[in-house]
Amino acid sequence: MIFLAVLGILLLAAALYVARGFYLIGKAKRLTARAGVLEAETAELTARADDREAEAKAAKAGAAAALGFVPEAELDIDLPGPLSDERRAALDAVRGGDWEAGAAHVEAAGQDREERWQRVMALADLAAGEDDAWLLAWRAARPADPLAAVVNAQSAVRVAWNVRGGKAAGHTTQEQFRLFRQLLGTAQRAAQEAQRLADPADPLPYLAEQPVAMGLGYSHERYRTLWEEIVSRDAGMLSAHTNALQYWCQKWRGSHELALAFARESAAAGKPGGLLTLLPLIAYFEQETHEADIVIETWYKEPEVALAVDAALQDLAEADPGHSGVVWMRHMLAFCLFWQDRDAEAVEQFRHVDGYIGSMPWTYANDPRRRYAYARDWAVDVTSP
């Protein structure tokens, strides 16, 4: 009798276990089905949100276009601003083999060393990126020409950096690095030759060595020696300072602290209208770009950054409109003012540079057009009636 009772209990337990199994299976199926419904609903909501975002973006873009701003797809990502007719004509002549037109274009800048450097770089970029037969002909015709020598040195620098590419070290091959260092050695010798041939007061051949120093990793002491060669010839050249700031950045041979200290020292020593107040803006931007934990929405609102922006605005107001650095300053100010929610002031800068975005900060983005258009169109939308 006891045996039958125990057996009955066991059978009942087994039945309950099986029933519970069927219940759990059914529940799992119902949960799976519900999960599928929720997933579909989530996908639909996401699609709707994406559609609304796209519609909002299109509306902002349309409003910007209606006010005369350039459509996103038509933004020039190579140049920071339009080429002058003079520059365009000179480069076209050089492409045709007329190196004398290029030499005359540089000499026409007179003693404006910043402008001379911009013209040298334009010729060097042309030789590095296209046919350099004209440069070879120039050097053959005038082997001791210091201007040809500095164009040659900067061209060698550009070739080396073109081989390396603009990606981070983790995305650059060992073969690229090997060729990069080899080509920088050639550029270094070319820069030193240009220094020997140049007028003793000319800083430009030493500027050509700055990216060599950064790429080859000059020690801080050696770089400071190079820097003294530059500032003893011209203490206020904006390009020299922006080049040096890159060396002192953490991503190259320095740190955030060294970069910001250099930037602040340069800005404090600069003359009104010299635009060296651009350097702290670049230093803050470089740090924000490098540090993943920085919150961009608050970073540019920090009091010290806001003060740096105000100083840069004042400096810009005092600058010669023809200064080569004005366009770089306007691009950085547009970006910083946008993140400070000073949209009306940002729009003023966007109006000056619109159409051309081949400048920091936009060039640091994977999609420069998208980054620029987002900031510009938002600021335009906020400030439009």
Side-chain angles (χ1 to χ4, degrees), residues 211-230:
V212 173
M214 188 167 68
L216 292 182
Y218 282 19
S219 68
H220 290 181
E221 181 180 0
R222 185 176 180 184
Y223 192 86
R224 289 190 177 99
T225 299
L226 173 62
W227 183 240
E228 283 302 315
E229 296 286 359
I230 295 171

Side-chain angles (χ1 to χ4, degrees), residues 277 281 303-317 333 337 340 342 345:
T277 52
L281 304 189
E304 63 185 78
V305 183
L307 287 173
V309 168
D310 289 340
L313 284 166
Q314 180 61 39
D315 201 11
L316 177 62
L333 280 171
L337 290 165
Q340 290 178 353
R342 298 164 68 175
E345 293 171 276

Side-chain angles (χ1 to χ4, degrees), residues 16-34:
L16 290 173
Y17 181 81
V18 171
R20 184 174 182 274
F22 282 121
Y23 168 77
L24 292 175
I25 291 171
K27 185 176 181 180
K29 288 181 177 179
R30 290 192 298 273
L31 289 173
T32 301
R34 179 57 180 161

